Amino acid sequence: MPLAEFSLPAPVFPPPRVLLGPGPSDIHPRVLAALAAGTVGHLDPYYLRLMNDMQGMLRRVFRTTNEMTLAVSGTGSAGMEAAVVNLVEPGDKVLVCVNGVFGGRMAEVAQRAGGVVAKIERPWGEVFSPQEVQEAIERVQPQIVGIVQAETSTGAWQPIEEIARIARKAGALLIVDAVTALGGVPVEVDGWQIDCCYSGTQKCLSCPPGLAPITFGPRAMEKILARRTKVQSWYLDVTLLAQYWGQDRVYHHTAPINMTYALYEALRLVLEEGLEPRWRRHALQHRALKAGLAAMGIGYAAAEGAQLPTLNAVRIPTGVDDAAVRRKLLERFGIEIGGGLGPFKGQVWRIGLMGYGAREANVLLFLSALELLLAEQGHRFDPGASVAAANKVYAAAQ
Ligand SMILES: *Cc1c(COP(=O)(O)O)cnc(C)c1O
């Protein structure tokens, strides 16, 4: 194209949004301010101190004393990849529990790492019982078991503690995907003795996407240090990353400095609030949203008793146009929610209440906006009832 025809694209000026989808979530202004701070070198004494303090905060948020706790450069999927490629050697038997998109992704990553993958499956929206995982472990005899605590594609909340006990007893290492769990619901790495747990920054930590917190326990490190083969990914090899995160500070790759500022501030916000109060806040917002939706005749896709507070996957009422409602939420109210994936496409909406996004102002705005749009679609319900139902939950919590 001739240069003369070039016209400079518009400057970056994103429309204001209320992010209530499956991620990214609303970002706290303090995190945005940290992101915009001046960049220092990745070996600057200031930066190294920040890294150390961030590691300390990550351990608190993961509830672990694991030495090997760090943030991988990359999104949540890089955390998944780092967990799998370090722990799985070619030929290792890997059992992956699949009840949605992310369990499926973990199985795919394990296969690419040379693992001999066996899957157990549950219908979307359901969770695994300890018994069925135990039976599968006895049958497959895996070295590694992978499971998703918070399945963002279905809103199902998988209990981990009992499964971790079973895996440990069988001598298998457990990898837990806590991407939509960490900072929103309890994740107890040491308490449940999880061998490897990873997350992402843009879900319940309310930070832009770009880093993946991860922690490896002593049994996981033992396996990694005893590997016969090199980790297939140079970038994600934790023994190399450890030389940068540890005392030696050996250059590996240039850390995303400003993302580290952002995660640092996001973790400060988590610890300032306290983990327990934060979990309670997520639970309360979820209950208010659930009550409000119920008043409009909208129920959940995940099984009762296994519904994540952080990701509310709800059935779209019959006769309502999925795409039109989501488009109007965005155009008229600046609200983003997620549509369904796979078998849930066109069937469910995914409403994220994560981190800074999980607050009254958002729940009440969303419910009133949805009332308006559903009324326009001819969906019948008692006008005003959803906001009233949510307010009742808030009043009872006072
Ligand atoms: C979002 C998500 C991921 C992937 O994270 P990205 O940041 O999109 O790479 C993995 N697992 C779960 C459960 C998630 O919700």
Side-chain angles (χ1 to χ4, degrees), residues 22-23 74-80 101-103 105 148-153 177-181 198-203 209-211 350 354:
T75 63
S77 303
M80 180 187 288
V101 165
F102 294 103
R105 185 176 296 181
V148 177
Q149 184 182 357
E151 186 43 86
T152 318
S153 59
D177 178 319
V179 175
T180 298
Y198 60 86
S199 190
T201 44
Q202 80 276 23
K203 310 273 169 103
L211 285 173
R350 291 182 302 148
M354 303 183 193

Side-chain angles (χ1 to χ4, degrees), residues 350-370:
R350 291 182 302 148
I351 306 153
L353 292 174
M354 303 183 193
Y356 182 56
R359 55 191 206 275
E360 286 175 15
N362 285 350
V363 171
L364 295 175
L365 171 68
F366 171 71
L367 288 173
S368 22
L370 191 64

Side-chain angles (χ1 to χ4, degrees), residues 97-106 121-126 128 148 151-154 343:
C97 307
V98 180
N99 56 350
V101 165
F102 294 103
R105 185 176 296 181
M106 203 194 290
E121 301 193 37
R122 270 324 287 171
W124 281 42
E126 293 183 16
F128 293 90
V148 177
E151 186 43 86
T152 318
S153 59
T154 69

Side-chain angles (χ1 to χ4, degrees), residues 289-300 367 386 389:
L289 177 72
K290 187 174 176 176
L293 291 168
M296 289 186 277
I298 298 174
Y300 278 60
L367 288 173
S386 79

Side-chain angles (χ1 to χ4, degrees), residues 126-205:
E126 293 183 16
V127 294
F128 293 90
S129 73
Q131 291 72 27
E132 64 195 315
V133 176
Q134 173 144 28
E135 279 164 26
I137 288 178
E138 282 164 8
R139 181 165 44 79
V140 176
Q141 302 276 313
Q143 274 89 20
I144 291 127
V145 177
I147 197 160
V148 177
Q149 184 182 357
E151 186 43 86
T152 318
S153 59
T154 69
W157 187 359
Q158 173 67 54
I160 296 296
E161 187 169 12
E162 187 64 13
I163 287 169
R165 199 185 57 75
I166 291 165
R168 189 166 61 255
K169 231 173 122 197
L173 297 175
L174 182 69
I175 297 176
V176 173
D177 178 319
V179 175
T180 298
L182 193 71
V185 297
V187 177
E188 302 278 359
V189 169
D190 285 3
W192 302 339
Q193 298 194 35
I194 297 169
D195 297 295
C196 180
C197 185
Y198 60 86
S199 190
T201 44
Q202 80 276 23
K203 310 273 169 103
C204 305
L205 299 176

